[in-house]
Amino acid sequence: MLPADISQNLFLLMQSESFAPFRRKLIRWYATHARLLPWRDVADSYYVWVSEIMLQQTTTQAVQGYFDRFIKAFPTIQSLAEADLDSVNRHWEGLGYYRRCALLHKAAKEIVVRFGGEFPRNYEDVRNLPGVGRYTAGAILSIAFGQRLPILEANTLRLHARLLAMRGSLLHGETNARLWEFAEAILPRTGSGKINQALMDLGSLVCTPKSPKCAECPVIAFCESAKQGLQSVIPSPKTKEQTEYRTEVALLIQKKGKTLLIRYPEGQRWAGLWDFPRAKTEAELPLSSATDTVLQKRLSELTGRKLTQGRLICSLKHSVTKYRITLFFCEGTDAGKTSKAALCETCWATLAELQKLPLNSTARKLVCNITGT
Ligand code: SF4
């Protein structure tokens, strides 16, 4: 059963004849306001796929430069499948959420093996690719192949919730199911890709999270929130995660011109990327060079080596989700292997290799600091 506050709006808006004037106004607006994006109007499913994976959790603005570099390095599905993961990660470096990159690489290999390197057109085949959910499959198939499939991402979720004056948790349960239903009902028989892109642009440029520009909105006549003055309360503001402050230490361990690095294992935030041996410390600030046994134990578990912290080289601050991290980069010494296995893979890299290996963003800054690049 539909929640009482949405059933009537849905009933009114989901009459098929209601959508033709809605779509006409939307498309007229899109003709002059569409965002110029490098993956648009190319009609290449590989470009659309790469862009959609990059856009998961990341803004369009942040993705643009990365997309161009990535496509230049891996111009086809075949070239991506043949590349080694370190090289693919190096081109993703700085974009964050690195699991997406590993899944994209895995999916490219699968497409080569199962579909001869051609991006599949069947919905179930696309959904079964690593890293592809309902939204991504709908976006690729509607934009690249014109299939009548709905999409629902951050911009359209907010836009549709406001059009329907839908309250409650938009990401789950009955409300989410109704939003998908609406996203599908709104589509024409042909040309769904254009409508989907126009809806995303309208959400991003006009129906913005804060202070939506209703006076400029081409579909204001269809908007229940505008009628009821609910734009500022829909969607309900998210409860902010409590910020946590922490201090970490990364060690520069060098021997015979090579630097010790660790690679984070599968399932961790920076899986597949390299970093200096790094761990959390509870030591009081300012950080002293006195022996921090808890830190030593953590570093030893990561590397399988007995490492000791020395003189401070520099410090930097950065944020990861709810964490505000102060990172101290210190010289360190290595007394060799312990008897326990390391949690991370380790390697000794030359300066030239440090430039080529995929590093997390703080490790890249520290490399620039020590090499002066
Ligand atoms: Fe969003 Fe305002 Fe347009 Fe409604 S009228 S869809 S709230 S911009």
Side-chain angles (χ1 to χ4, degrees):
M1 199 159 101
L2 298 179
D5 63 332
I6 66 167
S7 55
Q8 201 189 353
N9 300 331
L10 268 178
F11 176 76
L12 291 172
L13 275 164
M14 290 177 75
Q15 306 304 299
S16 58
E17 65 270 25
S18 304
F19 287 117
F22 177 96
R23 287 193 296 260
R24 267 199 301 278
K25 286 192 184 288
L26 178 70
I27 287 300
R28 208 173 301 146
W29 172 86
Y30 185 63
T32 50
H33 293 84
R35 291 176 291 179
L36 295 170
L37 302 171
W39 49 87
R40 284 226 168 131
D41 303 321
V42 187
D44 184 318
S45 49
Y46 174 56
Y47 284 24
V48 179
W49 174 42
V50 171
S51 69
E52 288 303 336
I53 300 295
M54 286 186 168
L55 286 165
Q56 292 168 359
Q57 321 274 351
T58 310
T59 63
T60 310
Q61 211 182 4
V63 162
Q64 290 194 42
Y66 283 97
F67 176 82
D68 290 337
R69 280 196 297 278
F70 195 90
I71 291 294
K72 206 168 164 198
F74 313 109
T76 59
I77 294 176
Q78 190 83 35
S79 60
L80 177 59
E82 283 168 4
D84 69 66
L85 184 57
D86 267 357
S87 161
V88 182
N89 272 328
R90 182 71 177 96
H91 286 86
W92 198 274
E93 198 185 288
L95 200 52
Y97 298 95
Y98 296 92
R99 196 173 136 73
R100 295 178 298 177
C101 178
L103 293 174
L104 183 78
H105 186 235
K106 195 172 170 194
K109 286 177 181 290
E110 225 176 280
I111 294 172
V112 168
V113 172
R114 292 181 53 211
F115 306 106
E118 288 287 318
F119 197 89
R121 292 178 181 230
N122 174 280
Y123 178 76
E124 288 309 322
D125 289 339
V126 177
R127 269 306 293 271
N128 285 331
L129 291 173
V132 175
R134 183 175 180 184
Y135 159 73
T136 307
I140 301 167
L141 292 173
S142 67
I143 296 169
F145 302 124
Q147 294 185 26
R148 190 178 182 278
L149 287 166
I151 56 153
L152 206 53
E153 40 64 83
N155 290 312
T156 40
L157 196 75
R158 181 176 62 255
L159 172 71
H160 295 346
R162 284 182 176 149
L163 284 169
L164 300 168
M166 228 180 235
R167 293 165 184 263
S169 167
L170 305 182
L171 293 172
H172 309 284
E174 198 66 44
T175 307
N176 183 262
R178 296 287 80 80
L179 286 166
W180 274 108
E181 214 174 297
F182 178 70
E184 184 164 2
I186 214 166
L187 295 175
R189 266 192 289 274
T190 58
S192 290
K194 199 168 186 180
I195 292 287
N196 279 339
Q197 291 179 93
L199 289 165
M200 284 192 277
D201 283 13
L202 185 65
S204 165
L205 302 172
V206 178
C207 197
T208 46
K210 283 184 191 157
S211 313
K213 303 175 186 84
C214 300
E216 299 167 23
C217 181
V219 295
I220 188 169
F222 304 88
C223 180
E224 277 296 313
S225 290
K227 272 181 211 155
Q228 299 177 35
L230 296 172
Q231 303 95 311
S232 58
V233 293
I234 293 177
S236 333
K238 285 187 205 140
T239 37
K240 256 195 157 184
E241 263 195 309
Q242 191 80 37
T243 302
E244 279 185 35
Y245 294 88
R246 60 192 278 173
T247 306
E248 296 181 3
V249 173
L251 296 188
L252 175 66
I253 310 274
Q254 291 184 307
K255 270 186 190 174
K256 296 180 186 163
K258 293 189 173 185
T259 303
L260 179 65
L261 297 179
I262 58 169
R263 172 142 63 179
Y264 294 100
E266 194 61 35
Q268 293 209 3
R269 168 170 296 275
W270 290 313
L273 299 193
W274 295 92
D275 195 1
F276 296 93
R278 165 179 172 156
K280 190 176 146 196
T281 177
E282 261 71 48
E284 295 288 322
L285 298 179
L287 203 68
S288 78
S289 57
T291 307
D292 181 343
T293 49
V294 178
L295 176 71
Q296 273 186 359
K297 185 165 177 276
R298 286 177 181 150
L299 289 167
S300 161
E301 282 167 359
L302 291 177
T303 60
R305 310 188 73 88
K306 188 168 172 11
L307 306 181
T308 312
Q309 165 211 341
R311 189 181 66 87
L312 177 69
I313 300 169
C314 65
S315 66
L316 57 88
K317 290 182 189 289
H318 71 111
S319 299
V320 179
T321 59
K322 64 176 180 174
Y323 299 103
R324 303 289 172 269
I325 302 167
T326 303
L327 177 66
F328 290 98
F329 188 42
C330 300
E331 288 177 351
T333 50
D334 170 34
K337 286 186 178 176
T338 64
S339 55
K340 291 195 179 147
L343 291 176
C344 296
E345 183 187 343
T346 58
C347 80
W348 293 90
T350 61
L351 281 183
E353 286 163 344
L354 278 175
Q355 306 291 358
K356 286 189 192 148
L357 288 172
L359 306 177
N360 66 12
S361 52
T362 48
R364 180 61 62 203
K365 281 185 193 159
L366 296 174
V367 166
C368 292
N369 183 302
I370 56 175
T371 58
T373 52

